[in-house]
Each structure stands twice: as C-alpha cells, then as structure tokens.
Amino acid sequence: MGSNEARLNWPIQFTAQLNSINVCSSSSFTPHTQSSVLTVPWRPRQMLTQTQPSPWIQFSAPPPSDSLLLRRKLRLQYRRSCVASCRLRTSNCVVYGTSINGLVQEEVEETDTQKENESRRAYPFQEIEANWQRYWEENKTFRTPDEIDTSKPKFYVLDMFPYPSGAGLHVGHPLGYSATDILARLKRMQGFNVLHPMGWDAFGLPAEQYAIETGAHPKFTTMKNIDRFRSQLKLLGFSYDWDREISTTEPEYYKWTQWIFLQLLKRGLAYQAEVPVNWCPALGTVLANEEVVDGVSERGGHPVIRKPMRQWMLKITAYADRLLEDLDDLDWPESVKEMQKNWIGRSEGAELQFHVLDDDEPERDLKITVYTTRPDTIFGATYLVLAPEHELLSSIVSNAKSQDVKEYIEMASRKSDLERTELQKEKTGVFTGCYAINPVNDEAIPIWVADYVLGSYGTGAIMAVPAHDARDREFALKYKLPIYEVVTPGNSSFSYLNKAYTGEGTIVNSSSSRSGLNINGLNSKDAASRVIEWLEITGNGMKKVNYKLRDWLFARQRYWGEPIPVIFPDDTGEVKPISEAELPLTLPELDDFTPTGTGEPPLTKALSWVKTIDSTSGRPARRETNTMPQWAGSCWYYLRFMDPSNSLALVDKEKEKYWSPVDVYVGGAEHAVLHLLYARFWHKVLFDIGVVSTKEPFKCVINQGIILGEVQYLAFKDPDGNLVSADLVDPMGKFSQESITEDQIIKSGDSFVLKGNPGIRLIARAYKMSKSRGNVINPDDVVAEYGADSLRLYEMFMGPFRDSKTWSTSGIEGVHRFLARVWRLIVGSPSPDGKFRDGTVDLDGEPTVEQLSILHRCISKVTEEIEGTRFNTGISAMMEFTNAAYKWEKLPRSIVEDFVLLLSPYAPHIAEELWSRLGHSSSLAYKPFPKVNAAFLKESTVVLPVQINGKTRGTIEVEVTCTEEDAFKLASLDSKLSKFLSGKTIKKRIYVPNKILNVILVPEGSKVAR
C-alpha cells in the first residue's frame, strides 16, 4: 500500500480560463480579469468556490491510491460547492460568481490531507467530536446509576443485540442505533430515567468456523471483534451506558442462561427426542431451516442432509395459545404480528384415521392418522400422502416399491423444509404400492410418499383432495390420480378444469349408505361439524386444534456455545441436571475445534471435561457435549441489562419491576419471527415462575429499513459494441453490460438515459450492501471525511425510518453543509487562515414575536417527529429554522440556546460544542428539552382566497381580525385581482372571515335595480 506522503509529493496543477467576477470586500482584493490564465498549485474545492472559473479545467492527477479511505473515487464536481449566483459568506468579502459548466477531463483522487483540510473549512468537527467523546467517557455522562429516583418516569430503549463479526460495522448498522440514540437523548432531556445499554450476542457458528480455518481460538477473535465494534460505536457518539456492557460469552452471563435451562427442564419444557434435522457434515453441526439454502449451508455452501438425531428440544408449543393471544396487546408493526401468527399457525380441524390394506385387500393392523382443516371435503379424498420421514413408511411400502421409496427418501433428505414446501417447485413423489380405506365411503385410495408433506407438521400425513387444494391438484394431474368435486362455489361459472376451488361453498357428491353419512346440500361449516360428530361417534377421529409451530430444536454440535448443564450417570444413562451451585458450567479449553466427522460434537474431544462425577451420588458420569444454539443468549439479555452485576439472581425483582417492559425495541425485520418468538417464550416461562412481572418483554417493536448501496447505472451493448436502449433488450439475446458514472446520466421521465445520447435508456439498480458486491461503505471512512454528526444526521434524513433507502455520497455532503451553516450562524465565519473564533457571534436583544413564532413551530415539529420516529421531517424543520435565522439582523441568545438543544439529539457533538461556547460549563445531555408555547403557534395572518363570481382568481394575505371592508380594499389593490374589479359594478360581497371573499359582479349590459 502506497504511503500518503508519497502521494502528497505529486504536484497537481490546473489551468483555468476565468470569467470576470464581481467582488464586494472591505479589504483589498484583485480579481483576475476576463481571459486571464492562471496556473496555481492544487487546492481543495472550497478554495475554488471563491473565484468560480468557467469552462475549461485540466488536471494532472497522482497515481490511484489503494487506501481504504480513498477506495472510492471522487470527482471534482463544482456543483457540490458552487451554486450559480451564490453568495459566499466569508469574514472579509462576499464573492458573486457564475456557475461552472466546465468539463472535468480526468478523475482526481483527493488525498487524506486534502479532504481533511476541506472538511475543516466547513467546521472543525474532528476536534469537536474527539473532545466531546472523551468528555462523555471520562465523566460517564450517560451512566444510569443502580440507585435511581423511581418516582420519575422510565424509558428503556434497546437495540437488537448485534453479532460482532470480523467485518465490523457498515453504514447500514448505525441507522437503528442513531434512532434509538435520538430517542434516548430526548427522553433524558424530558426528565425520564433512561436505560440505553449495549452488548454482544457473541456465541455462534461464524467465530467457530473462523477458528477452524485459522486455528485462532474463538474466544480471542470474538474479543477482538467486540473491541472493534465498541470503538466504532463510540466513534459515532452513541449515548450508551457502557458500564452495563455484557457479552453472551462471559461465564458470569451464561451462568444465568444455563439457570433458565434448568428451570425449563424442571417444568418438563426441555426434553430429548429423535428428530430429523438439517445435518451439515462439513460444518459438523445441525442447522436451522433458515441456515440452509438450496440444499447447502448458507455459510460455506456445504451439502446438508436430513438425518435423524437425538436432540434437545424446548416445548414452545405448550405456550402457543398465549404467544398468539398476547400479540393483540403489543404496539408492534402489524406485519410482524402477522408473521408471528402465521408461524404459530393455529388451525382448527379434525384428526381422522385411515386403515391400511394388505396386498390381498384385508385390513392390516396399521392406521394412518391424518390432520385436515377441511373435514367437509373428506368424500373428495382420492389418495394419501406420507412425509418421507413418516415413521410408518417402512412398514407399509410394498416389496416391489421399496427401492424406489428408499431412493426418494434419500433425495428428499438433501432438501430443507423451506425448499420442500416452496409453492412454485414441481411436486414429486413415489407410490408406495399400498392402499388405505377412506372411512366415510370404504373406498380404497393409494398411499404415496411426497416431500411437499413435512413430518414436523400435523401428523406427517395428509388426505389429498385435489379438486379443492392447489398442491394436491398439481400432484394429481402429474401422476394421473382421480379428482372428485365435492364443494360447489356460489359462482356457477367456476371451472374445475382450470384450477382447484379452495373456498367454502355447498357440499355435493358427499353421501354413503354404507357409513350412513350424508352431508350433501350443507354449507362447508355445517358439513365440517357433521363430519367431526360422525368421526367421534364411530371412533374414526376427533376434533383437533393444530399448530404449525414446532418445538424448538435446542442443540448444536459445536464448541462455541453455552454448555448444557446436565450429566448422564454411567450406571443409568438418564438425564440429570447439575446443581445450581455448580453454575456456571464453563467451556473447557480446546485447541482442536474441527468436526469429529461422526456427528459427535467437538466437546467430546475434551475427555477430562466430559468425564465427571455426579456431585450428589459420587458416581461417574459424562457431561452433555452438545451446546446451546446462538438464540439462547439473546432470549433474555434485555433483563440482564437492568442488573448486570448481580451474582445472586438473574435480575433484582425491584429493578425488573421498574424497568420492564422494554419501551422501544429496534432492529431488523429479519428477526421478526424467531428471535422475538423465542424471547417471548422464555419471558412467559420466567413470568410463570415469578422472575419477571410482565407478560411480554417488548412493549413497542420498530423495524428499521435497509440501507442499500449507491445506485449503479448500467448500459447494454450488443455483440458489436453498439449501445442498446434497455427497453429494447431481448432477454434471450447476447448483450453485455457496462457501468455508467453518475455524471454521464440524466433523468428522463421515470427512467435514466445517457446525457450524450438520450435515446439510450439505462438500468438503475441498488443492492443490499455486501462484501461480494463491493458496495460496502465503512462508517469509519465517512466519519473521517464528514464527521459522526453528519453520518447520524444523514441516515436519519435519507427517508422514513422504516423504509429501505439508497446510500448517496452527495446526500451526506448536503447534511454536512447544513451543519456547517448552523456552525457559522452561531460561531461566525472563519478568519482568512481558516480558524474560527473561540466564542460566538453577538447574541443580543430580546426575541421578536416573529422569531418566537418560528422557533416554537420548530420546537413543536421536532418534538412531535422524534416521538413519532419521523426523524427526517424533524431535520427538515430545523433546516427551515436555519434558513429563516440567516435572514434575521440579530440572533437573540434565548432563541439560539433553544435551537441548539433541539439539534442535540440528532447531532450531539456540534450541539455540545455550541452549548459550551454559549457559556455553559456542563453538558447539555440533561438540560430540559424546549417546550412549545402554543401561544406562538397561532398565525397572525391568513391567506384568503378571493373569488370573482364564484371563481377563484387569486389570494391575499390578511390579518386574522381583518374586516370585510379591509379585505375588499386589499383585493382591489392586488395587481392580479384589480383587473377583474376595475370599472365593474358590484352586486354584492360574500365574506367568511379567514375563509373566503367572493365578489359578485353585475353582468355587463345589465341594469342595476334601484
């Protein structure tokens, strides 16, 4: 990597043809005259804004840099710092210049020092931010004491636990963190006790995989990653209480994770079972369904198979109804609540039995139990389907079909549950060679095995009704199985030839003299009730409530996770919990983390740890060698933040009672189901045993949007290299794509086109940031160039907090300029050497009513928008205030101080510095947030529409107390309205104060009645 010093030795010069400029200055200033030629050393672009050159600029640039900070190429585009006919505020002069439309022939990569100097000229954010971050840390400004005044209201705002990856943060991470920090800072200033902590969900497979690949112990790589994350978060000025920092990998923490597991075990909510799992031999662990994509592991792309293994399970299904019912009381996004409801998947139906036939047709002593939500369609069942993992499959398959079924089961084992149930995938299956009896009509129907049925849902078997289920119909058509219509919709034009009818209707073709069941003519609901009644009377089935929710698979075959606190005595082999006094059960030190290749976890290699003594009997025993999944530590961390140093209890009861529940919980929508569901389950268990005082852990959940990488513009070329408009590209043709830079494109309607060839339409795309795409923006680089306040402000200003947004470097430059304007408004312009005064500009005088009105409108808007998490419009209000303040002749101190307090939750560093320069000796973090005075929100004037003969012709601005006569006089004097009134005879006037003035004229040629 080249050094910065080497790059700085390259002279960069430019030659410019200058237009004439107008200069107004109190000091001597000699402008270059028109057509003069100037050759000078390179200066950053703010220097050039003082003398706006015009069309032609040539640069000689240094070699490209491979520095991280300079990885992204920056063009010298004067539009960023020069606006046509703009007024440049400096301490000595005002320069009026023409806009630059020059052609930049070569891209210039600016050096670190040049960028630093350029940014310092805006305002000295580097020194400001470093100083105040040091002040906050040294003074523990944001520490929440253990002993607090509980008579004050509380506000517990929490970010979803981050996993400290080796890559560190990218600019998408601070989006949620900035939002919670703004809320925390606001509530402190509003007099709340605020709990705003941060910690690390640090166990997990990525660290272990890295350890396997490099030999580095995951403990040390995790600590290194945590240090990196912590330093990055501190660099952004977030007001976390770092004294409460926790990590799931600390024994002092996972002692209580293990304690919760023991409580689950005591109550029968933790058990072992043989279950089919996603086993990855290469990773040596069981993977969750969402960790398997297209039959391979999401991490590493290793093959995954379905394999029955003895696993620890948590009986989350015992809490299914409560998890469902309590959603109604939560202030969560409806989409998240709907996802949880769908995941739980409560349904009411019937469980019924089909007797299996032997090869020569007598019934065998085997019954297949199926679950259906549509018992009204039972007469339409034309075949049964068993999941490949169904326990009876091996018992019923015929000899002739056994090899086919075996091969199919093997194929299905390589698919995840998500792949198997994908609606768009082609249905596959194999006939078992056996039949079963439909109990309602005694018809023999074939038994198939197909992977679109899961062994983990219902009974692992279904009755297929192809006329009324889309998947069953697709399968039946493929394998030429019968389709019987048994439900008729109200719409007689419906055709069963085109698709399955899945709705309710009137039952047809559904009677049997042999069973005595006749449901013809009933509606679906009544028919279902009649069928269930018949099933229960005849002993063929019963009413049943079912859930899609499955018990939580709670074991991983890996090293880097919480040890499960149970032993297996050698003499019995039964599960036995260790004593709570023995907690924490810590991980043994291991040098070899590689998978055993046998399915046994890596912990089996720690022989001296595995072999132990039962503390109660003194007999030999062995420890559990599976570890807990990563979800475990993140299920309850919000409770530990309330009381992080308690060695005697998970959380102190009084502290929990005060701080619970979490008031605002912010994180990505990817955690909308599993993390939130698991945390709610554990919380309800803890509620049942008296550890917590609330039924739910999180009062309000907010999902922030995703920040996408910068927009990429692509042009298509045919095989001959000719450009082709995107709307003319044939998807089947051979076209190449070429990246187009932003300065080469223009917007045309809803599309983007080439500036030099508007007939060529381009493709504009933005992708989620990822290392593989090379579009990751490092927040450290952004902070170095623009400052932490600019990054925070920009991420809040990009758009609605919950929406996805596209990163734009020009956008952050805009908010950086806004902060610089605020700085110059209060501190003043820099001296010629670029330095700013120590204090502020003169802040004298009492505020006018107009100034107070503008301020309080800003207070009202900012407060309302922060509390509504509409952060972008809060920033807009502050920008409007700043624009107005620049027009004032005097800045009253009271107005400025309130504005600085308004700005502080968004941009705390610059606000703290301005507050200090305003003469305050302590931090503003706990100063009262400005309160709106409603008296100043009342408008003294209104815009009054004026109609002539009922048609609106214009508007006038009037006092709210304006009389009809005064309003008419103002309208008569208005240049636009007077032409309609001049010389005309008025018949009457209709005046509604503050609403409308309607002037009715006598038609021309008409006589006025006397």
Side-chain angles (χ1 to χ4, degrees):
M1 184 181 296
S3 67
N4 291 340
E5 290 76 17
R7 291 197 298 277
L8 288 173
N9 289 333
W10 281 72
I12 305 177
Q13 297 189 337
F14 68 88
T15 303
Q17 182 85 18
L18 299 178
N19 283 336
S20 59
I21 57 174
N22 298 317
V23 180
C24 175
S25 173
S26 58
S27 59
S28 62
F29 185 89
T30 306
H32 291 283
T33 57
Q34 188 171 8
S35 301
S36 65
V37 177
L38 173 68
T39 302
V40 297
W42 163 257
R43 292 292 184 268
R45 53 179 173 262
Q46 264 92 346
M47 293 290 288
L48 296 175
T49 64
Q50 309 256 342
T51 58
Q52 319 248 330
S54 73
W56 195 252
I57 306 174
Q58 293 180 321
F59 297 87
S60 57
S65 163
D66 55 359
S67 162
L68 264 178
L69 184 60
L70 301 177
R71 186 182 298 156
R72 179 170 49 83
K73 288 188 175 183
L74 297 176
R75 272 189 181 75
L76 181 64
Q77 295 178 352
Y78 288 97
R79 61 179 175 78
R80 293 178 179 173
S81 53
C82 309
V83 179
S85 303
C86 66
R87 184 166 71 95
L88 304 177
R89 290 182 50 159
T90 65
S91 57
N92 296 315
C93 67
V94 179
V95 181
Y96 294 86
T98 58
S99 65
I100 295 178
N101 296 312
L103 173 64
V104 179
Q105 289 193 316
E106 294 187 357
E107 291 183 342
V108 177
E109 290 195 354
E110 301 170 309
T111 66
D112 295 5
T113 304
Q114 289 163 349
K115 290 180 181 178
E116 183 177 333
N117 289 339
E118 174 187 336
S119 298
R120 284 174 186 274
R121 256 179 293 277
Y123 76 101
F125 63 84
Q126 294 98 334
E127 295 92 338
I128 291 172
E129 292 179 357
N131 287 343
W132 284 103
Q133 288 168 16
R134 184 166 52 250
Y135 174 91
W136 294 329
E137 187 157 358
E138 290 174 353
N139 291 275
K140 296 186 180 297
T141 303
F142 308 114
R143 179 176 177 271
T144 303
D146 286 335
E147 302 300 326
I148 56 175
D149 179 3
T150 56
S151 65
K152 293 171 63 177
K154 66 92 179 178
F155 185 72
Y156 185 1
V157 57
L158 184 63
D159 299 293
M160 287 189 184
F161 232 14
Y163 174 77
S165 68
L169 298 177
H170 62 65
V171 293
H173 291 102
L175 178 64
Y177 303 156
S178 297
T180 56
D181 196 61
I182 291 170
L183 291 169
R185 288 176 179 272
L186 171 70
K187 292 300 181 181
R188 286 191 194 96
M189 299 172 78
Q190 289 179 334
F192 285 70
N193 289 325
V194 172
L195 186 57
H196 187 37
M198 176 52 73
W200 319 105
D201 186 14
F203 274 131
L205 188 58
E208 184 160 346
Q209 230 9 65
Y210 184 79
I212 292 170
E213 294 165 3
T214 64
H217 197 288
K219 176 172 65 177
F220 300 116
T221 56
T222 298
M223 290 171 58
K224 180 180 177 181
N225 293 345
I226 288 174
D227 289 343
R228 167 91 169 127
F229 262 65
R230 187 192 304 110
S231 66
Q232 287 185 295
L233 292 177
K234 288 186 176 181
L235 191 66
L236 293 168
F238 296 131
S239 61
Y240 294 123
D241 179 357
W242 288 107
D243 284 0
R244 293 176 182 262
E245 179 184 7
I246 57 178
S247 168
T248 55
T249 61
E250 297 167 352
E252 296 80 7
Y253 179 85
Y254 68 71
K255 165 186 177 177
W256 297 105
T257 309
Q258 293 171 334
W259 181 86
I260 295 172
F261 178 85
L262 292 180
Q263 311 315 305
L264 293 165
L265 189 62
K266 285 179 186 177
R267 285 154 183 80
L269 297 171
Y271 65 96
Q272 286 189 302
E274 190 91 2
V275 294
V277 296
N278 299 315
W279 171 252
C280 179
L283 297 178
T285 191
V286 171
L287 300 178
N289 285 332
E290 63 273 11
E291 295 173 311
V292 182
V293 180
D294 296 330
V296 298
S297 62
E298 184 181 34
R299 180 177 176 83
H302 304 294
V304 176
I305 62 172
R306 297 287 286 177
K307 175 180 177 180
M309 295 183 68
R310 193 157 185 80
Q311 297 285 306
W312 280 100
M313 309 291 291
L314 297 188
K315 196 176 289 185
I316 189 173
T317 51
Y319 282 74
D321 282 327
R322 288 169 62 183
L323 290 168
L324 197 60
E325 292 163 2
D326 292 343
L327 282 171
D328 294 335
D329 300 327
L330 299 177
D331 180 15
W332 289 18
E334 287 303 317
S335 59
V336 172
K337 292 200 280 189
E338 193 61 29
M339 281 190 280
Q340 294 229 339
K341 289 176 182 178
N342 291 337
W343 192 268
I344 296 168
R346 186 182 190 276
S347 62
E348 294 184 2
E351 202 169 74
L352 55 154
Q353 296 175 337
F354 290 75
H355 290 266
V356 178
L357 290 175
D358 225 329
D359 291 343
D360 54 357
E361 291 204 2
E363 292 184 13
R364 300 167 63 184
D365 191 24
L366 284 178
K367 298 176 183 177
I368 296 175
T369 302
V370 305
Y371 171 78
T372 178
T373 59
R374 293 294 303 272
D376 57 313
T377 65
I378 189 169
F379 281 92
T382 60
Y383 62 98
L384 297 184
V385 180
L386 272 58
E389 55 272 16
H390 196 285
E391 60 182 0
L392 291 181
L393 187 55
S394 60
S395 303
I396 64 174
V397 66
S398 69
N399 292 332
K401 293 291 184 179
S402 61
Q403 185 59 33
D404 292 343
V405 171
K406 181 179 179 181
E407 291 175 359
Y408 186 81
I409 292 172
E410 172 63 26
M411 182 185 69
S413 73
R414 294 193 291 270
K415 299 179 183 179
S416 71
D417 288 354
L418 294 178
E419 291 175 275
R420 286 170 55 179
T421 55
E422 172 59 48
L423 293 177
Q424 303 304 319
K425 85 174 189 71
E426 182 182 3
K427 305 298 182 288
T428 62
V430 173
F431 177 43
T432 65
C434 287
Y435 294 81
I437 293 294
N438 187 331
V440 298
N441 57 17
D442 287 341
E443 289 186 4
I445 58 177
I447 304 171
W448 286 68
V449 56
D451 64 5
Y452 75 88
V453 176
L454 301 178
S456 58
Y457 178 65
T459 64
I462 66 163
M463 66 174 202
V465 185
H468 304 290
D469 183 276
R471 294 185 308 170
D472 295 346
R473 181 180 185 275
E474 182 184 341
F475 191 90
L477 289 174
K478 180 176 180 178
Y479 294 105
K480 298 180 173 57
L481 296 167
I483 300 176
Y484 298 154
E485 171 194 351
V486 293
V487 181
T488 299
N491 181 3
S492 60
S493 64
F494 183 85
S495 173
Y496 287 89
L497 296 176
N498 299 323
K499 62 179 180 179
Y501 175 66
T502 59
E504 295 185 347
T506 303
I507 305 301
V508 296
N509 304 323
S510 298
S511 68
S512 171
S513 58
R514 297 184 66 177
S515 65
L517 180 62
N518 182 355
I519 55 175
N520 283 331
L522 298 178
N523 62 49
S524 292
K525 185 175 181 180
D526 291 340
S529 299
R530 180 75 62 83
V531 171
I532 291 173
E533 181 183 356
W534 181 88
L535 290 170
E536 291 177 339
I537 291 173
T538 60
N540 285 298
M542 67 181 78
K543 185 176 182 179
K544 182 76 172 180
V545 174
N546 199 33
Y547 300 90
K548 288 183 182 177
L549 180 66
R550 300 292 90 194
D551 281 343
W552 178 6
L553 195 156
F554 196 73
R556 295 291 186 269
Q557 290 66 45
R558 63 183 182 218
Y559 168 74
W560 194 234
E562 299 93 339
I564 296 176
V566 300
I567 58 173
F568 303 90
D570 290 354
D571 55 349
T572 66
E574 297 295 325
V575 174
K576 186 173 183 179
I578 67 173
S579 165
E580 292 181 12
E582 297 179 62
L583 300 179
L585 173 61
T586 57
L587 281 170
E589 292 294 330
L590 270 186
D591 296 325
D592 181 10
F593 317 105
T594 57
T596 61
T598 63
E600 291 291 322
L603 280 178
T604 57
K605 300 176 183 180
L607 297 179
S608 60
W609 181 85
V610 173
K611 294 180 179 179
T612 187
I613 300 296
D614 181 352
S615 60
T616 57
S617 68
R619 294 177 180 176
R622 60 182 178 84
R623 297 193 189 280
E624 172 62 76
T625 53
N626 287 314
T627 54
M628 298 184 195
Q630 187 175 355
W631 302 106
S634 61
C635 276
W636 70 279
Y637 70 102
Y638 58 93
L639 294 171
R640 194 61 177 172
F641 279 137
M642 301 174 187
D643 194 13
S645 302
N646 194 332
S647 61
L648 302 177
L650 183 149
V651 62
D652 177 79
K653 286 185 178 295
E654 291 303 314
K655 292 177 180 178
E656 184 280 328
K657 190 174 181 180
Y658 177 75
W659 287 113
S660 284
V662 175
D663 294 285
V664 175
Y665 193 35
V666 175
E670 64 272 18
H671 301 299
V673 177
L674 294 183
H675 162 61
L676 290 175
L677 199 63
Y678 293 157
R680 294 179 63 220
F681 165 45
W682 276 31
H683 190 89
K684 290 181 182 302
V685 174
L686 294 174
F687 176 76
D688 290 347
I689 64 177
V691 174
V692 298
S693 58
T694 63
K695 293 191 300 181
E696 289 285 339
F698 314 117
K699 181 179 178 181
C700 174
V701 168
I702 301 174
N703 298 135
Q704 81 269 21
I706 297 172
I707 293 184
L708 304 173
E710 292 197 80
V711 175
Q712 299 174 5
Y713 302 96
L714 300 173
F716 289 94
K717 284 188 173 181
D718 63 20
D720 296 328
N722 301 312
L723 288 168
V724 180
S725 184
D727 55 325
L728 301 178
V729 170
D730 181 358
M732 303 302 293
K734 294 182 179 180
F735 294 90
S736 61
Q737 293 182 352
E738 180 179 298
S739 182
I740 304 296
T741 55
E742 189 176 356
D743 64 320
Q744 296 176 281
I745 63 103
I746 57 172
K747 188 82 182 290
S748 175
D750 294 331
S751 304
F752 293 93
V753 298
L754 276 177
K755 187 182 295 183
N757 188 353
I760 300 299
R761 185 180 295 181
L762 307 174
I763 295 292
R765 292 174 180 163
Y767 297 94
K768 187 175 181 179
M769 290 186 184
S770 67
K771 288 190 291 184
S772 62
R773 288 193 179 276
N775 63 349
V776 173
I777 306 292
N778 188 332
D780 297 3
D781 296 348
V782 178
V783 170
E785 188 172 355
Y786 298 104
D789 283 342
S790 293
L791 176 58
R792 292 166 57 114
L793 204 67
Y794 174 58
E795 298 215 350
M796 295 296 96
F797 191 57
M798 291 174 77
F801 179 59
R802 294 162 175 79
D803 292 357
S804 294
K805 298 162 276 285
T806 303
W807 179 268
S808 169
T809 300
S810 60
I812 195 169
E813 290 172 346
V815 295
H816 185 65
R817 288 195 296 270
F818 162 65
L819 290 176
R821 291 192 77 218
V822 171
W823 177 262
R824 293 193 303 271
L825 176 71
I826 299 172
V827 174
S829 300
S831 58
D833 61 1
K835 294 181 180 179
F836 290 90
R837 71 184 78 198
D838 291 335
T840 65
V841 298
D842 291 336
L843 302 171
D844 295 327
E846 291 298 316
T848 65
V849 172
E850 180 192 4
Q851 289 174 327
L852 288 170
S853 177
I854 292 171
L855 171 67
H856 282 272
R857 283 200 297 271
C858 186
I859 293 172
S860 175
K861 187 68 172 178
V862 171
T863 306
E864 180 181 333
E865 300 307 87
I866 291 178
E867 292 181 338
T869 63
R870 297 179 295 271
F871 305 106
N872 55 322
T873 46
I875 296 171
S876 296
M878 290 187 285
M879 289 178 171
E880 291 172 5
F881 172 89
T882 304
N883 289 338
Y886 261 89
K887 298 174 184 177
W888 299 342
E889 292 185 4
K890 291 185 177 181
L891 278 176
R893 177 177 294 273
S894 61
I895 297 281
V896 170
E897 289 191 343
D898 278 352
F899 176 70
V900 169
L901 293 174
L902 284 181
L903 179 65
S904 65
Y906 286 93
H909 304 89
I910 190 174
E912 288 274 24
E913 180 66 20
L914 293 173
W915 188 252
S916 174
R917 286 169 175 259
L918 287 165
H920 301 281
S921 58
S922 61
S923 168
L924 55 65
Y926 295 90
K927 298 299 179 184
F929 198 74
K931 293 183 179 180
V932 66
N933 186 335
F936 293 112
L937 299 182
K938 297 177 181 178
E939 299 287 350
S940 60
T941 62
V942 295
V943 175
L944 187 73
V946 178
Q947 293 183 342
I948 309 296
N949 289 335
K951 187 173 183 179
T952 302
R953 295 296 188 179
T955 60
I956 55 175
E957 186 172 356
V958 301
E959 297 288 335
V960 292
T961 57
C962 183
T963 65
E964 178 183 335
E965 191 60 36
D966 289 338
F968 179 71
K969 287 180 180 178
L970 288 171
S972 301
L973 295 172
D974 184 87
S975 59
K976 185 177 180 181
L977 294 169
S978 60
K979 63 182 180 180
F980 296 102
L981 298 173
S982 179
K984 303 295 172 60
T985 303
I986 297 172
K987 183 177 181 180
K988 65 175 179 178
R989 297 191 304 235
I990 302 170
Y991 179 64
V992 180
N994 302 324
K995 298 293 183 181
I996 198 168
L997 171 64
N998 188 6
V999 181
I1000 309 299
L1001 303 177
V1002 175
E1004 293 185 3
S1006 300
K1007 294 183 179 180
V1008 180
R1010 297 182 181 275

